[in-house]
Amino acid sequence: MKRNKPKYMQIIDAAVIVIAENGYHQAQVSKIAKTAGVADGTIYLYFKNKEDILVSLFEEKMGSFVERLETEITEIPNAADKLYRLVKLHFENLASDYHLAIVTQLELRQSNKELRYRINDVLKGYLGVIDHIVKTGMTSGEFRTDLDVRLARQMIFGTIDETITSWVMNEQKYNLTHLIEPVHQLLINGCGYSHSKQ
Amino acid sequence: MKRNKPKYMQIIDAAVIVIAENGYHQAQVSKIAKTAGVADGTIYLYFKNKEDILVSLFEEKMGSFVERLETEITEIPNAADKLYRLVKLHFENLASDYHLAIVTQLELRQSNKELRYRINDVLKGYLGVIDHIVKTGMTSGEFRTDLDVRLARQMIFGTIDETITSWVMNEQKYNLTHLIEPVHQLLINGCGYSHSKQ
Amino acid sequence: MKRNKPKYMQIIDAAVIVIAENGYHQAQVSKIAKTAGVADGTIYLYFKNKEDILVSLFEEKMGSFVERLETEITEIPNAADKLYRLVKLHFENLASDYHLAIVTQLELRQSNKELRYRINDVLKGYLGVIDHIVKTGMTSGEFRTDLDVRLARQMIFGTIDETITSWVMNEQKYNLTHLIEPVHQLLINGCGYSHSKQ
Amino acid sequence: MKRNKPKYMQIIDAAVIVIAENGYHQAQVSKIAKTAGVADGTIYLYFKNKEDILVSLFEEKMGSFVERLETEITEIPNAADKLYRLVKLHFENLASDYHLAIVTQLELRQSNKELRYRINDVLKGYLGVIDHIVKTGMTSGEFRTDLDVRLARQMIFGTIDETITSWVMNEQKYNLTHLIEPVHQLLINGCGYSHSKQ
DNA sequence: GATGAATGAGCTTTCATTCAT
DNA sequence: GATGAATGAAAGCTCATTCAT
């Protein structure tokens, strides 16, 4: 398991810092190697190429997050609380890692189309959790039964993502975790029974 | 007015096609010039540099869209219908232009941080329209009065954006315009009075 | 005679200013045209190509100077006074034309080898005047008779040229015309009878 | 010490040859690399950019020459002999290196203003040696005591430089070292007591 | 004669990747 | 396994020159 070798995570962590601080296009392999304290060539003993660093970075960081998410969500019975936990974990996760937030919300999106498809593969685990929550809510009667699961997922993910990106682009001037509650409320409303203009 | 010069739009249109089909980093200036039917140097009579093509492209396409949006929205009295028109116009706009959808949802996001700030300036007109709708709805009683306008805007924009991106990444296998109605419903629910688990 | 057409000198004068103020490599044809108040294409009605502007510039400015020099020198009987007049005219000529001094001493030397050979052709008239003075001096007994005319000429020209270049590179902080007298003395000594360590 | 790395001098030497044979503006980096037997990119491991090759070239070649000059001059007691040694070393140095003579006398002067200021810095060491000789001569009574040191230096340097340039532009058809003696005589006369028209 | 929009050849520099040690 | 010097392909941009009007 390559992730057990110390230099593997060393390089991943260096990549997060270098990309966050220099931007995607200024994150040369040599700069990552220097920050990681290894020689340029050593990178290629652990990663196929530069793109592989990026995908691995996302897999490691997002992967461990999704694992934890799944564990915690399972233990919660109703959909609304599951969703609350998801928003909370997601916001807290990025609020606590300055560099990672910049990388996932801004820099990694500058990658080419192919890389973004591969990143999307990693995201599927996360989106699956959302789908699971939506279906739970529809079954339990918490959510409308005529919801389109895919659309509900896109609303949930889109809202969360847009909120975090906006926070990052505002240079994190306000406290992201304060938005957990109101964002959750918005999403719950979106999935629940419509009563506007009652 | 440079947009009246025929070659200006000729180059913009060529850029949309070339970027959509090759990706931003494979869209060499020479390729755009060839597609536009002009010499490489001619590009630089109309654009400061390659990045300027991208910004101008976005300003032209998004700018005229927002103008039309503002005109149409003004004539509609209530917030829910205004929002419906916004979703409809946005979805139809991109559903009818295959190449443009790819460029705005995927390729334009590969630009560097500075460029993204400039793109954000253009987006501000669009986000202003959303804000206006939300405020109208809160005043008229259609929407909850405790809405955070910024969050509501992020939900609306995030949901729409994520839905379109998802459609583009699925290679437009389904009809985007069929999602106007359900997406609108989701958004109205999100902004309206909460009655889940009534 | 093309130099009688007004635009011809207009372009030459513009070239002197543009080259002096922007440097040789930043003196684009379009910039010269703009300063001269003509269209880019018009340049090519009067000059074969860009290099031709430079050669013509030098011919015009140096040519008229040498003409005047020859006239004045002829009227002076002895070599020392001829030489004095040469130094005086040369120094005064450049001291009174800020732009021309920069162009001839610094910028024009950045031209390529071929151009410099052509410039040298123009210089030959000037060097011929120096030769004439040296020979006069040797005949009249003012100068040593064992002088190598070519070397004497190189000393005279080299000293004058180096003095002016040094003055230009010091941004003309001191008065060049004050050096007429001492430079003349140095040159006269160089050509006269040796009595060092008398 | 980068000049100890073999490729550093390899590239410098290749640059001298390529620039001498093609001219500065036709001396593409790729041509220099090819002549040096290295890849294009290797150039940039040793030099900041193309201009830096030129400056380094001059620093290496002129620097070591000035060092040698200073050592030899110090050991000579009187000014006239010091000056003789200076002329001799300078002439012999360039007479023995065909390519270097072309580069220093013609091609190096095509550089832009900024570069020329840097070259001038290197030259300062050389000019300092001349100043030292002039002052020695004035103190010892060999030279006139009313000499302006700066002007004397300009005469000496200007004469030497012009003589070499003239020899280079005549395609080195005659033997430069034969001019050591007469040029020295001219310079000594210039600095010595005036007796023209005795 | 005069214009100026259009042309397109040409070159420096970067940086991911390799491989001899 | 680790190194880092060397590689070389690749592309944005400039600007002298042309030519249809």
Side-chain angles (χ1 to χ4, degrees), chain D residues 93-106:
Chain D
N93 192 37
L94 293 180
S96 72
D97 192 336
Y98 178 76
H99 289 123
L100 186 60
I102 294 174
V103 171
T104 61
Q105 301 307 120
L106 301 184

mmCIF file of all heavy atoms in Angstrom, chain D residues 93-106:
data_model
loop_
_atom_site.group_PDB
_atom_site.id
_atom_site.type_symbol
_atom_site.label_atom_id
_atom_site.label_comp_id
_atom_site.label_asym_id
_atom_site.label_seq_id
_atom_site.Cartn_x
_atom_site.Cartn_y
_atom_site.Cartn_z
ATOM 1 N N ASN D 93 45.772 40.345 -27.078
ATOM 2 C CA ASN D 93 44.623 39.575 -26.608
ATOM 3 C C ASN D 93 43.603 39.380 -27.727
ATOM 4 O O ASN D 93 43.126 38.262 -27.954
ATOM 5 C CB ASN D 93 43.971 40.318 -25.432
ATOM 6 C CG ASN D 93 42.957 39.471 -24.701
ATOM 7 O OD1 ASN D 93 43.158 38.271 -24.542
ATOM 8 N ND2 ASN D 93 41.863 40.100 -24.261
ATOM 9 N N LEU D 94 43.275 40.453 -28.413
ATOM 10 C CA LEU D 94 42.251 40.355 -29.453
ATOM 11 C C LEU D 94 42.825 39.855 -30.779
ATOM 12 O O LEU D 94 42.120 39.201 -31.556
ATOM 13 C CB LEU D 94 41.547 41.694 -29.627
ATOM 14 C CG LEU D 94 40.714 42.085 -28.398
ATOM 15 C CD1 LEU D 94 40.023 43.418 -28.609
ATOM 16 C CD2 LEU D 94 39.677 41.008 -28.077
ATOM 17 N N ALA D 95 44.116 40.154 -31.022
ATOM 18 C CA ALA D 95 44.721 39.666 -32.265
ATOM 19 C C ALA D 95 44.777 38.142 -32.274
ATOM 20 O O ALA D 95 44.733 37.510 -33.334
ATOM 21 C CB ALA D 95 46.128 40.245 -32.429
ATOM 22 N N SER D 96 44.828 37.558 -31.084
ATOM 23 C CA SER D 96 44.944 36.098 -31.015
ATOM 24 C C SER D 96 43.600 35.392 -30.975
ATOM 25 O O SER D 96 43.530 34.175 -31.017
ATOM 26 C CB SER D 96 45.755 35.709 -29.769
ATOM 27 O OG SER D 96 44.970 35.949 -28.612
ATOM 28 N N ASP D 97 42.536 36.151 -30.833
ATOM 29 C CA ASP D 97 41.220 35.507 -30.812
ATOM 30 C C ASP D 97 40.275 36.218 -31.771
ATOM 31 O O ASP D 97 39.542 37.144 -31.422
ATOM 32 C CB ASP D 97 40.639 35.533 -29.387
ATOM 33 C CG ASP D 97 39.427 34.629 -29.254
ATOM 34 O OD1 ASP D 97 38.771 34.349 -30.287
ATOM 35 O OD2 ASP D 97 39.125 34.203 -28.126
ATOM 36 N N TYR D 98 40.320 35.750 -32.981
ATOM 37 C CA TYR D 98 39.538 36.259 -34.092
ATOM 38 C C TYR D 98 38.073 36.492 -33.727
ATOM 39 O O TYR D 98 37.523 37.568 -33.886
ATOM 40 C CB TYR D 98 39.653 35.234 -35.220
ATOM 41 C CG TYR D 98 38.862 35.557 -36.443
ATOM 42 C CD1 TYR D 98 39.314 36.536 -37.339
ATOM 43 C CD2 TYR D 98 37.679 34.892 -36.731
ATOM 44 C CE1 TYR D 98 38.593 36.823 -38.489
ATOM 45 C CE2 TYR D 98 36.956 35.174 -37.891
ATOM 46 C CZ TYR D 98 37.419 36.145 -38.755
ATOM 47 O OH TYR D 98 36.712 36.429 -39.879
ATOM 48 N N HIS D 99 37.444 35.437 -33.202
ATOM 49 C CA HIS D 99 36.018 35.526 -32.886
ATOM 50 C C HIS D 99 35.735 36.534 -31.775
ATOM 51 O O HIS D 99 34.799 37.322 -31.851
ATOM 52 C CB HIS D 99 35.486 34.152 -32.481
ATOM 53 C CG HIS D 99 35.391 33.196 -33.615
ATOM 54 N ND1 HIS D 99 36.025 31.969 -33.613
ATOM 55 C CD2 HIS D 99 34.747 33.286 -34.797
ATOM 56 C CE1 HIS D 99 35.766 31.341 -34.746
ATOM 57 N NE2 HIS D 99 34.989 32.120 -35.478
ATOM 58 N N LEU D 100 36.562 36.488 -30.738
ATOM 59 C CA LEU D 100 36.344 37.389 -29.604
ATOM 60 C C LEU D 100 36.439 38.850 -30.037
ATOM 61 O O LEU D 100 35.664 39.694 -29.578
ATOM 62 C CB LEU D 100 37.371 37.100 -28.500
ATOM 63 C CG LEU D 100 37.168 37.880 -27.200
ATOM 64 C CD1 LEU D 100 35.812 37.563 -26.580
ATOM 65 C CD2 LEU D 100 38.282 37.579 -26.206
ATOM 66 N N ALA D 101 37.370 39.145 -30.949
ATOM 67 C CA ALA D 101 37.532 40.520 -31.422
ATOM 68 C C ALA D 101 36.250 41.019 -32.086
ATOM 69 O O ALA D 101 35.785 42.131 -31.831
ATOM 70 C CB ALA D 101 38.704 40.599 -32.400
ATOM 71 N N ILE D 102 35.667 40.186 -32.915
ATOM 72 C CA ILE D 102 34.417 40.580 -33.581
ATOM 73 C C ILE D 102 33.322 40.814 -32.553
ATOM 74 O O ILE D 102 32.574 41.792 -32.602
ATOM 75 C CB ILE D 102 33.979 39.486 -34.585
ATOM 76 C CG1 ILE D 102 34.991 39.396 -35.725
ATOM 77 C CG2 ILE D 102 32.588 39.787 -35.117
ATOM 78 C CD1 ILE D 102 34.720 38.259 -36.685
ATOM 79 N N VAL D 103 33.238 39.892 -31.588
ATOM 80 C CA VAL D 103 32.171 39.996 -30.596
ATOM 81 C C VAL D 103 32.312 41.260 -29.753
ATOM 82 O O VAL D 103 31.352 42.008 -29.575
ATOM 83 C CB VAL D 103 32.137 38.744 -29.693
ATOM 84 C CG1 VAL D 103 31.174 38.938 -28.526
ATOM 85 C CG2 VAL D 103 31.739 37.530 -30.516
ATOM 86 N N THR D 104 33.521 41.522 -29.253
ATOM 87 C CA THR D 104 33.654 42.689 -28.367
ATOM 88 C C THR D 104 33.590 44.008 -29.125
ATOM 89 O O THR D 104 33.070 44.989 -28.619
ATOM 90 C CB THR D 104 34.977 42.659 -27.568
ATOM 91 O OG1 THR D 104 36.069 42.672 -28.490
ATOM 92 C CG2 THR D 104 35.072 41.434 -26.695
ATOM 93 N N GLN D 105 34.132 44.048 -30.347
ATOM 94 C CA GLN D 105 34.183 45.324 -31.048
ATOM 95 C C GLN D 105 32.908 45.633 -31.824
ATOM 96 O O GLN D 105 32.572 46.802 -32.000
ATOM 97 C CB GLN D 105 35.375 45.362 -32.008
ATOM 98 C CG GLN D 105 36.717 45.177 -31.348
ATOM 99 C CD GLN D 105 36.968 46.130 -30.195
ATOM 100 O OE1 GLN D 105 37.171 45.684 -29.075
ATOM 101 N NE2 GLN D 105 36.929 47.426 -30.453
ATOM 102 N N LEU D 106 32.220 44.612 -32.280
ATOM 103 C CA LEU D 106 31.037 44.886 -33.105
ATOM 104 C C LEU D 106 29.739 44.383 -32.481
ATOM 105 O O LEU D 106 28.813 45.146 -32.245
ATOM 106 C CB LEU D 106 31.207 44.242 -34.492
ATOM 107 C CG LEU D 106 32.416 44.680 -35.317
ATOM 108 C CD1 LEU D 106 32.378 44.036 -36.695
ATOM 109 C CD2 LEU D 106 32.452 46.200 -35.437
#
